Amino acid sequence: MDLVGLSLPLLLVFWQWTTTTGAAVTYWTYTGSVGQSKWAEYFPDCGGKAQSPVDVATVQTQYDPSLGPLTPLGYSQHGNKPFSLYNNGHTVVVPLPGWMGLGGLPWQFTAVQMHLHWGNGAPEAGGSEHTINGQSSAAELHVVHYNSELYPNMSVAMTQQDGLAVLGVLIETGEEANQAFWNILNYLGRIRHAGQSVSIPAFDVQSLLPSDLGRYYRYNGSLTTPPCFQSVLWTLFTETVKISHTQLMKLETVLYASKEEADRVVMQDNYRTPQPLNDRTILSSFPLESVKVYTAGEITAIVIGALCGCVGLAVIVRFIVKTIRFFKHLHNERVLVNSSTSSWDVLPSVRPAPVPRTKEPGKELKQDVALNTTSEPGKKEDPVPSSV
Ligand SMILES: *[C@@H]1O[C@H](CO)[C@@H](O)[C@H](O)[C@H]1NC(C)=O
Ligand SMILES: *[C@@H]1O[C@H](CO)[C@@H](O)[C@H](O)[C@H]1NC(C)=O
């Protein structure tokens, strides 16, 4: 029997194993003798032309206006039944209840599980699988769904071209702890060894996602672990979520990839490096110009610019109002000047105070006469004097 004749039945047997169990049957790791550069030798799909993760070169993405916001269905209705947390030797997995799903895709998708990928605790070292313009994030969350409109279960769907939909969330570190992530991280100490699982209180899965579910990249790719089936419609959100350094440390140091009885191997760097895009196009749900990520300096400049603009506008408006008032005033005064020979009218601030009336009719008359020649207090604001 020749080599092809020998390997074909073996491959078929292997194919059946992986498709019926839905899990890798062959031992694999991220580094070493069965590390990611060797995956394709044992799992042929890992050497395919549409593998994940990929680097997203943002200028090469293509805006597709038909890509609407994704709608998590039932993510927040977690119910009272506890979730479970499982160390599968590669990552921490949270199986999700079947009523959770995704709307906004060409088919109905049902949630299966979520898991994380991370680095090794070194500052500035990567941890995410997808990268944006060559930049890694600290970690990445994947929420896996299968096409329940076309396929009966995950095991069948994962082998089909349109079988799965995975949400990718890039995780960065920030100042504050992310309360939603404590729902997972708090319990890692109870599943330190591969094969262990623990019950945890159910929680709102949507709280793990970024708030803007309308801006994302979309492409056809694969599972990022063996057997690397090319069955995933990927959605990678542009908004990242933040966890604290303490939280990231916990994720990166608590778990072991090894079983309880074996020598301890810390579970770190469980991410696959970006794969060739080949002839695929990455679509974006938003036009390119709004992709721009502003630096702190640029934001400061924009804020200052906006403030200056507002102040400038206020000054102009004030100037216009003042000018209008001035001309109105000037007009009124001209009328007064024209109708009177007295200079008192154009200098209202130095007008003599009204003289109190006395009870002597003669004096009153005299005063009125005297005032008439200068100004009449009762007619100060009257633009058209009655004594024409
Ligand atoms: C998935 O569905 C197929 C086809 O109906 C069935 O043969 C298989 O046992 C199912 N697998 C699981 C894990 O339920
Ligand atoms: C994914 O592949 C399917 C089938 O070839 C195609 O119809 C679809 O447009 C592709 N999606 C993306 C985002 O490239």
Side-chain angles (χ1 to χ4, degrees):
M1 210 185 239
D2 64 5
L3 207 64
V4 176
L6 192 79
S7 57
L8 198 62
L10 275 177
L11 264 178
L12 285 174
V13 166
F14 175 66
W15 178 262
Q16 280 180 340
W17 276 0
T18 52
T19 52
T20 52
T21 60
V25 290
T26 302
Y27 181 69
W28 59 270
T29 57
Y30 281 92
T31 53
S33 58
V34 283
Q36 42 187 310
S37 60
K38 306 288 192 336
W39 289 356
E41 291 173 26
Y42 307 97
F43 308 92
D45 288 50
C46 297
K49 290 250 182 286
Q51 288 291 291
S52 291
V54 292
D55 173 54
V56 179
T58 53
V59 292
Q60 269 148 46
T61 60
Q62 202 173 87
Y63 171 46
D64 182 348
S66 74
L67 297 177
L70 277 186
T71 356
L73 304 172
Y75 269 46
S76 301
Q77 281 103 58
H78 51 72
N80 298 321
K81 204 164 162 273
F83 286 176
S84 66
L85 207 57
Y86 176 56
N87 178 340
N88 71 0
H90 304 294
T91 184
V92 47
V93 185
V94 183
L96 293 173
W99 68 76
M100 291 187 188
L102 270 189
L105 290 171
W107 298 278
Q108 192 70 49
F109 283 84
T110 297
V112 181
Q113 52 108 315
M114 59 185 171
H115 61 264
L116 292 146
H117 299 270
W118 58 85
N120 61 24
E124 303 307 314
S128 68
E129 300 210 295
H130 287 92
T131 56
I132 307 281
N133 298 323
Q135 289 287 307
S136 296
S137 296
E140 187 167 333
L141 169 71
H142 289 160
V143 191
V144 182
H145 308 73
Y146 79 94
N147 185 335
S148 48
E149 206 171 309
L150 299 185
Y151 307 109
N153 54 44
M154 173 71 178
S155 314
V156 174
M158 75 192 296
T159 65
Q160 306 299 312
Q161 201 270 332
D162 46 10
L164 306 181
V166 181
L167 304 183
V169 179
L170 296 172
I171 300 171
E172 292 181 311
T173 51
E175 293 301 309
E176 284 170 28
N178 184 320
Q179 294 310 316
F181 275 80
W182 281 131
N183 288 304
I184 296 172
L185 301 175
N186 270 338
Y187 304 96
L188 294 184
R190 307 226 214 132
I191 53 159
R192 295 197 79 170
H193 304 277
Q196 293 182 325
S197 70
V198 67
S199 267
I200 62 168
F203 63 92
D204 180 356
V205 175
Q206 192 164 344
S207 63
L208 299 171
L209 303 183
S211 54
D212 185 356
L213 302 179
R215 290 165 64 89
Y216 56 81
Y217 299 107
R218 167 74 45 80
Y219 76 99
N220 283 323
S222 72
L223 301 175
T224 65
T225 59
C228 307
F229 294 144
Q230 298 186 158
S231 54
V232 182
L233 186 57
W234 275 96
T235 301
L236 183 68
F237 294 111
T238 57
E239 189 188 332
T240 61
V241 302
K242 300 224 168 22
I243 63 174
S244 67
H245 281 281
T246 308
Q247 289 183 307
L248 182 64
M249 267 314 145
K250 207 154 195 180
L251 187 61
E252 290 177 336
T253 57
V254 172
L255 299 175
Y256 296 116
S258 49
K259 290 191 181 292
E260 197 163 7
E261 60 277 13
D263 288 337
R264 290 180 175 186
V265 179
V266 180
M267 191 186 286
Q268 286 184 332
D269 291 324
N270 57 354
Y271 62 93
R272 190 185 195 192
T273 53
Q275 303 297 302
L277 194 58
N278 296 317
D279 56 1
R280 289 175 289 175
T281 302
I282 301 179
L283 303 176
S284 69
S285 68
F286 52 94
L288 185 65
E289 56 269 20
S290 51
V291 177
K292 188 152 167 45
V293 176
Y294 293 102
T295 63
E298 284 171 319
I299 290 168
T300 311
I302 289 166
V303 168
I304 290 172
L307 281 177
C308 288
C310 288
V311 169
L313 197 67
V315 165
I316 290 168
V317 167
R318 204 174 137 77
F319 175 75
I320 291 170
V321 167
K322 277 194 132 180
T323 308
I324 290 170
R325 277 207 195 126
F326 174 75
F327 279 112
K328 266 192 175 170
H329 199 67
L330 203 64
H331 174 74
N332 292 352
E333 282 167 354
R334 275 215 191 102
V335 172
L336 284 173
V337 169
N338 289 345
S339 63
S340 166
T341 51
S342 168
S343 62
W344 291 118
D345 285 315
V346 287
L347 293 167
S349 58
V350 288
R351 247 180 227 127
V355 179
R357 287 173 174 258
T358 60
K359 279 179 182 143
E360 292 162 76
K363 224 180 175 183
E364 199 175 286
L365 190 70
K366 252 192 241 166
Q367 268 181 350
D368 280 347
V369 170
L371 280 168
N372 271 342
T373 60
T374 55
S375 77
E376 292 169 77
K379 288 171 183 169
K380 264 185 226 163
E381 316 292 7
D382 193 349
V384 187
S386 50
S387 57
V388 180

